[in-house]
Amino acid sequence: MGLLLLITLLSILSFASAEISDKIGINYGQLGNNLPSAYQSIELLQSMQAGRVKLYDANPEILKLLADTKLRVSIMIPNHEISNIALNQTAADEWVRNNVLPYFPSTAIRFLLVGNEVLSSQSDQDIVMWHDLVPAMRNVRKSLKDKNITDIKVSTALAMDVLQSTFPPSTGEFRSDIRDTVIQPMLRFLDRTKSFLFIDVYPYFPWSSNPSNISLDFALFKSNSSIIDHGNGLNYTNLLDQMLDSLIFAMGKLGYPDIRLVISETGWPNSGDIEEPGANILNAATYNRNLIQKMTTKPAIGTPARPGVVIPTFIFSLYNENQKTGQGTERHWGLLNENGTGIYEIDLTGKRSASEYAPLPAAQNNVPYKGEVWCVAARGADLQELSAALTSACNEGNGTCDALAPGNECYLPVSVTWHASYAFSSYWANYRTQGATCYFNGLAEETTRNPSKGACNFPSVRF
Ligand SMILES: *[C@@H]1O[C@H](CO)[C@@H](O)[C@H](O)[C@H]1NC(C)=O
Ligand SMILES: *[C@@H]1O[C@H](CO)[C@@H](O)[C@H](O)[C@H]1NC(C)=O
Ligand SMILES: *[C@@H]1O[C@H](CO)[C@@H](O)[C@H](O)[C@H]1NC(C)=O
Ligand SMILES: *[C@@H]1O[C@H](CO)[C@@H](O)[C@H](O)[C@H]1NC(C)=O
Ligand SMILES: *[C@@H]1O[C@H](CO)[C@@H](O)[C@H](O)[C@H]1NC(C)=O
Ligand SMILES: *[C@@H]1O[C@H](CO)[C@@H](O)[C@H](O)[C@H]1NC(C)=O
Ligand SMILES: *[C@@H]1O[C@H](CO)[C@@H](O)[C@H](O)[C@H]1NC(C)=O
């Protein structure tokens, strides 16, 4: 009798904790043309002992393969489908019928995210979408409820730029352009449906944009000092806690201090461009290993504002993804190389202590690079593709390729590699302040060695 009671109690307890498991999740991004198959990827996730996987869509092949695994699954409605779903309950029902019902419950879908970082985009078209976001969340939730599905929580993934103030955390406040019109109704929805607020939170970004004011150890959970928030006396030993609590205080100011958080993305880049400090394997391993320890410790640690509360966490990302545009770090958030091997050892269960990992190469770029950088054709780049990229860089105008005209100072030697290297450097120097990067789909790479020859002077970017 006593034993039976104990077993019942234990199963109730394990059921209760099931909903807010502290097992680490992984974002399965697929923006690479060289990645392992979905089948292999799921095998890898299982062998890594991931507890959850988050998709950026509702890929049928992946959802089928995830059936009868222990992985709990988060799926996403792409941003461009939001407005239609907001305006049309039939479209919401159809989305659920096509993307949830065929797989659920044998595929353990637990979260359905309506859009990704919708509120971070500021184009006129996207601003229309802001106002469709919460209505779309309501419609999808209704579609699920009509099918008697109550254990899939509906939410959306936000980025930290929903806040206009984050430091110190007690000053946390939502942006005024979304606060009353979007965030307030969203919090009401999340509260009423007992869902979670999903936040993409990257200590790497505030640290790397201000490395002289924020200590790297504070960002990597290695600090032996702490920062007191004089607004409320709370004591912070790491940047992630500060960022999460700024969100918690911002929610509190709108009357919702208790909505639970999920970290929908976090991580640290294992490599990046020359001018991006701190992007290296040692820091990435340190951040992710310490994060996992923090998030899997029992009893839960929580944050200074919410001690003891579990925060389900998804690391970004499974793979380095070579088809992402932008700075070099964008393509280097992976735990795994494109061939599925680990970039560094990592134990997602958090049981392995720091000293049980093999040593890693020392970090070389923790201090921001100061000097000139050029952008040249990557070694081994395909000549035909280089030639096309050369043409498109030169077509941007503003004198980008004047020096390459016949008879001008950089015309000779007449080689695609030479001309492309000049064009990339010139284009990058001209348009970097407008967001241009030195990548050109992998055809270009940065160098600190001045490629200029004779009278031909390559434009550079000075950091
Ligand atoms: C609503 O969506 C359904 C399914 O996509 C579509 O057939 C219907 O025409 C839409 N209704 C309106 C008013 O747009
Ligand atoms: C949902 O549950 C209710 C009450 O249990 C039942 O009447 C209804 O038929 C169910 N609907 C579906 C789609 O299963
Ligand atoms: C660093 O902190 C100091 C003092 O708090 C402040 O004056 C300065 O503007 C900060 N620098 C940057 C780059 O934010
Ligand atoms: C505290 O951290 C600083 C800088 O990270 C380091 O130099 C110092 O040795 C540490 N002290 C202890 C007691 O760990
Ligand atoms: C803040 O926390 C640190 C680490 O737990 C501790 O050493 C320090 O004494 C605390 N400071 C205050 C003012 O509570
Ligand atoms: C996997 O890829 C990495 C990085 O490109 C490379 O260093 C490693 O040798 C590859 N391993 C295998 C087994 O192919
Ligand atoms: C054109 O180039 C000049 C000189 O490099 C630069 O100052 C200017 O901002 C560029 N214009 C545009 C539109 O990029």
Side-chain angles (χ1 to χ4, degrees), residues 145-148:
K145 217 171 158 214
D146 287 348
K147 299 290 178 190
N148 287 345

Side-chain angles (χ1 to χ4, degrees), residues 329-394:
T329 45
E330 282 298 314
R331 293 174 287 281
H332 293 95
W333 292 94
L335 299 177
L336 307 181
N337 286 304
E338 60 284 353
N339 57 21
T341 61
I343 297 172
Y344 44 84
E345 296 174 287
I346 189 111
D347 170 22
L348 298 183
T349 68
K351 294 198 180 94
R352 195 160 163 186
S353 71
S355 61
E356 293 172 80
Y357 289 104
L360 288 167
Q364 305 291 338
N365 62 351
N366 284 349
V367 174
Y369 174 79
K370 290 252 176 291
E372 280 179 278
V373 180
W374 291 266
C375 181
V376 297
R379 278 154 295 180
D382 178 85
L383 288 183
Q384 241 165 18
E385 289 177 39
L386 264 188
S387 172
L390 163 64
T391 306
S392 76
C394 293

Side-chain angles (χ1 to χ4, degrees), residues 232-288:
N232 52 27
L234 294 178
N235 182 358
Y236 289 89
T237 58
N238 66 80
L239 186 51
L240 180 74
D241 279 346
Q242 284 186 331
M243 296 171 81
L244 293 172
D245 278 1
S246 65
L247 189 65
I248 288 169
F249 286 114
M251 293 197 291
K253 284 169 197 166
L254 294 184
Y256 296 95
D258 297 323
I259 292 172
R260 293 171 295 175
L261 297 184
V262 170
I263 297 179
S264 35
E265 293 181 7
T266 190
W268 196 279
N270 54 65
S271 179
D273 290 332
I274 289 167
E275 72 274 18
E276 297 186 284
N280 57 58
I281 289 177
L282 179 61
N283 291 349
T286 304
Y287 180 87
N288 282 325

Side-chain angles (χ1 to χ4, degrees), residues 163-371:
L163 299 181
Q164 65 185 22
S165 168
T166 57
F167 184 82
S170 59
T171 66
E173 199 172 356
F174 288 102
R175 258 165 41 208
S176 56
D177 59 339
I178 51 174
R179 186 169 50 225
D180 302 332
T181 49
V182 186
I183 297 292
Q184 180 82 39
M186 183 187 296
L187 296 179
R188 191 180 319 126
F189 170 85
L190 296 176
D191 188 55
R192 184 171 59 79
T193 61
K194 299 189 168 51
S195 186
F196 298 77
L197 188 128
F198 281 65
I199 185 72
D200 295 348
V201 54
Y202 288 101
Y204 175 72
F205 292 123
W207 174 78
S208 63
S209 61
N210 201 354
S212 52
N213 272 16
I214 301 174
S215 107
L216 181 58
D217 284 352
F218 194 69
L220 296 178
F221 308 97
K222 276 172 56 185
S223 181
N224 53 20
S225 60
S226 55
I227 299 178
I228 305 289
D229 182 338
H230 292 291
N232 52 27
L234 294 178
N235 182 358
Y236 289 89
T237 58
N238 66 80
L239 186 51
L240 180 74
D241 279 346
Q242 284 186 331
M243 296 171 81
L244 293 172
D245 278 1
S246 65
L247 189 65
I248 288 169
F249 286 114
M251 293 197 291
K253 284 169 197 166
L254 294 184
Y256 296 95
D258 297 323
I259 292 172
R260 293 171 295 175
L261 297 184
V262 170
I263 297 179
S264 35
E265 293 181 7
T266 190
W268 196 279
N270 54 65
S271 179
D273 290 332
I274 289 167
E275 72 274 18
E276 297 186 284
N280 57 58
I281 289 177
L282 179 61
N283 291 349
T286 304
Y287 180 87
N288 282 325
R289 290 170 185 172
N290 288 341
L291 169 84
I292 291 165
Q293 290 242 307
K294 174 177 165 66
M295 294 305 177
T296 56
T297 294
K298 291 185 182 60
I301 298 173
T303 70
R306 269 192 198 163
V309 177
V310 173
I311 308 171
T313 298
F314 291 89
I315 292 177
F316 189 85
S317 184
L318 184 56
Y319 299 114
N320 279 349
E321 295 168 74
N322 70 351
Q323 288 181 313
K324 295 193 78 177
T325 57
Q327 296 275 167
T329 45
E330 282 298 314
R331 293 174 287 281
H332 293 95
W333 292 94
L335 299 177
L336 307 181
N337 286 304
E338 60 284 353
N339 57 21
T341 61
I343 297 172
Y344 44 84
E345 296 174 287
I346 189 111
D347 170 22
L348 298 183
T349 68
K351 294 198 180 94
R352 195 160 163 186
S353 71
S355 61
E356 293 172 80
Y357 289 104
L360 288 167
Q364 305 291 338
N365 62 351
N366 284 349
V367 174
Y369 174 79
K370 290 252 176 291

Side-chain angles (χ1 to χ4, degrees), residues 95-117:
W95 201 94
V96 166
R97 188 164 64 246
N98 292 336
N99 299 285
V100 175
L101 301 187
Y103 316 107
F104 182 85
S106 48
T107 297
I109 300 171
R110 288 292 174 270
F111 299 133
L112 196 172
L113 300 184
V114 179
N116 197 36
E117 301 189 353

